[in-house]
Amino acid sequence: MHVVSVSSQKGGVGKTTIALNLGLALARTGQKTLLTEFDAQGSLGLSLGLADRARPGIAEVLTGAEQLENVLQRTRDPNLSVLSVGRVDPTTVAGFEDALTRGQTVSTLLDQAKAQGFDLVLIDCPAGLGKVTTRALENASHVLSPLQAEPLALRSVGQILALVDRVRATKNPKLELLGFVLSMFDRKVAASLDVAETLWTKFPVGVVMDAIIPRDEMFLEASLRGAPVLLMQKKPPPLARRFDQLASDVLDRLAPSQKAPTEDDTPIPLLV
Ligand SMILES: Nc1ncnc2c1ncn2[C@@H]1O[C@H](COP(=O)(O)OP(=O)(O)OP(=O)(O)O)[C@@H](O)[C@H]1O
Ligand SMILES: [Mg+2]
């Protein structure tokens, strides 16, 4: 089972949006996917219209009050399940974070996910590289880091790479950087283009995911409606294709052999 932590040093860069839409895109390729939030704000649940704070979720699994299988929320896609934050009231955020970072709670949670037959777990981290994100990385196989297409974003790259190195050296030598994913890209804005150019030209090949997530009003509409962009219209909007591309790129990087060959992979006949 692969565990991908969606993490970034900066807040509001598109972690939750990417986790949600990528989760559905991965599920549609046949991967049994669990989307779980480690952010006490509960944005993932809110983005799905699961604003019911009385419903148990990860908070109860961490304390052992509930088993994972009893609190998983099934979705319209049989391969996608969601584990929302549970009964976390804003005054007990510190308690939630303590539960996530105490002892072996996260690894026990992931063992339960494995026992449920999930192929992939996507963790929606809170903003910043604090103790919750660190704990996610200590238990993840991979980290995917959204970078907002704006100049300050590049400054945060070194910080997340340093954390990945530290976690590798201390608790989790198997942790791998899946890649950075450029989000909120606007080709009409020069600064946005500059960031993309720097990423493509100055970073080693493979560090940046091929798919780019554009800035699009539909994300705001989607979060108001509590839906991934794919489900916003009867016919999937072109925006949804970006997440199919991202999912395909993610699967290639996780295990090249897992992806069924496509027509594009067929060798071109020799000319002579
Ligand atoms: N590509 C995009 N285009 C336009 N708006 C976007 C895009 N991605 C995200 N948004 C909007 O930007 C806001 C922040 O996005 P999101 O919640 O996904 O970021 P985050 O990194 O998870 O934030 P936090 O650090 O607070 O958890 C949301 O209102 C979301 O709808
Ligand atoms: Mg978020």
Side-chain angles (χ1 to χ4, degrees):
M1 184 178 78
H2 298 290
V3 179
V4 178
S5 179
V6 183
S7 316
S8 71
Q9 190 259 330
K10 287 194 75 201
V13 297
K15 290 181 292 301
T16 303
T17 303
I18 287 175
L20 170 62
N21 289 283
L22 174 63
L24 178 58
L26 286 165
R28 282 161 46 93
T29 71
Q31 298 284 314
K32 196 165 181 248
T33 303
L34 172 63
L35 193 51
T36 180
E37 63 186 332
F38 276 21
D39 186 351
Q41 285 186 68
S43 313
L44 183 64
L46 289 174
S47 310
L48 280 166
L50 305 170
D52 183 2
R53 290 265 175 191
R55 209 192 142 100
I58 187 170
E60 289 68 29
V61 180
L62 291 171
T63 59
E66 289 281 0
Q67 288 293 304
L68 177 68
E69 64 264 38
N70 297 332
V71 297
L72 279 179
Q73 287 175 324
R74 313 281 167 194
T75 67
R76 208 195 291 180
D77 187 305
N79 286 324
L80 181 67
S81 299
V82 178
L83 182 57
S84 61
V85 80
R87 296 187 194 117
V88 179
D89 87 61
T91 56
T92 61
V93 166
F96 175 72
E97 292 183 356
D98 286 348
L100 267 173
T101 52
R102 189 186 312 127
Q104 300 301 309
T105 51
V106 172
S107 90
T108 308
L109 171 82
L110 293 172
D111 287 345
Q112 290 188 40
K114 199 169 178 185
Q116 291 293 308
F118 286 105
D119 301 311
L120 222 151
V121 179
L122 274 181
I123 300 176
D124 179 28
C125 284
L129 305 180
K131 62 179 187 172
V132 171
T133 299
T134 303
R135 182 49 62 101
L137 299 194
E138 286 170 1
N139 288 277
S141 55
H142 296 83
V143 53
L144 178 69
S145 189
L147 275 184
Q148 192 176 341
E150 50 118 44
L152 284 180
L154 295 173
R155 292 204 196 154
S156 65
V157 167
Q159 289 164 8
I160 189 142
L161 291 178
L163 177 62
V164 170
D165 277 350
R166 198 176 78 226
V167 169
R168 246 190 226 145
T170 52
K171 298 270 173 58
N172 183 6
K174 293 203 176 124
L175 179 65
E176 283 180 42
L177 176 73
L178 198 57
F180 289 98
V181 52
L182 195 59
S183 83
M184 305 195 200
F185 175 72
D186 188 340
R187 66 191 158 85
K188 294 190 288 306
V189 175
S192 202
L193 281 170
D194 283 351
V195 174
E197 197 188 333
T198 307
L199 285 176
W200 294 118
T201 56
K202 304 253 168 33
F203 280 49
V205 173
V207 169
V208 185
M209 310 298 288
D210 291 337
I212 291 180
I213 309 303
R215 180 178 289 282
D216 195 304
E217 294 271 301
M218 191 178 271
F219 286 106
L220 295 175
E221 236 177 277
S223 67
L224 284 175
R225 274 221 243 153
V229 285
L230 181 82
L231 302 179
M232 286 290 286
Q233 298 166 354
K234 224 171 191 176
K235 182 167 171 271
L239 198 51
R241 279 282 302 146
R242 306 296 186 122
F243 291 99
D244 291 336
Q245 283 168 359
L246 184 60
S248 165
D249 201 0
V250 165
L251 289 177
D252 272 350
R253 289 168 187 231
L254 289 178
S257 55
Q258 265 190 19
K259 210 183 95 182
T262 65
E263 246 175 53
D264 291 348
D265 298 327
T266 319
I268 298 167
L270 291 178
L271 186 61
V272 288

